[in-house]
Amino acid sequence: MLAKTGLSPEDFKVMNEATRQIDEATDKRPGMTVDWQNPASGANGTVQLTGVEGTCMKLTHLARLAGQQKDIGFRSLRCRTEDGKWQLQDLSDVMF
């Protein structure tokens, strides 16, 4: 599913670092947004916290490839495990 986005593994790594900033925030609140950019590929985007339910958070990821006019977007659900780590539970609604 995500392979069709055109984002490189490095783009996903940079996007995941932005997601980790939300993971580690002590004051998680809907609307919290972290921007990311991969200088090597020119891809950039945002990760936005759209909801918190118990030990889970819903995120919207938007990305734009270098030279493109249209964003790529998808939603994810991440939940905190018993050992305190955040784990991806679901990916959905990939939009091209």
Side-chain angles (χ1 to χ4, degrees):
M1 172 171 67
L2 293 177
K4 296 179 182 180
T5 64
L7 294 167
S8 72
E10 184 66 25
D11 294 333
F12 282 109
K13 181 179 177 183
V14 175
M15 183 188 302
N16 194 46
E17 289 170 8
T19 302
R20 210 170 295 136
Q21 289 180 36
I22 294 175
D23 291 348
E24 295 171 357
T26 57
D27 60 337
K28 290 176 187 52
R29 62 198 177 288
M32 173 184 249
T33 303
V34 177
D35 297 327
W36 63 269
Q37 182 174 10
N38 182 355
S41 71
N44 64 80
T46 61
V47 179
Q48 182 177 46
L49 177 61
T50 56
V52 177
E53 295 179 9
T55 60
C56 297
M57 59 183 177
K58 296 178 180 180
L59 300 161
T60 297
H61 307 261
L62 295 177
R64 183 170 292 179
L65 298 171
Q68 298 294 314
Q69 298 298 316
K70 188 175 179 183
D71 288 336
I72 300 161
F74 59 94
R75 293 184 177 91
S76 68
L77 177 67
R78 295 170 64 93
C79 297
R80 188 179 292 270
T81 61
E82 288 183 15
D83 64 0
K85 295 180 182 176
W86 289 95
Q87 184 174 36
L88 180 65
Q89 300 295 316
D90 185 44
L91 281 174
S92 60
D93 300 334
V94 174
M95 304 162 279
F96 298 97

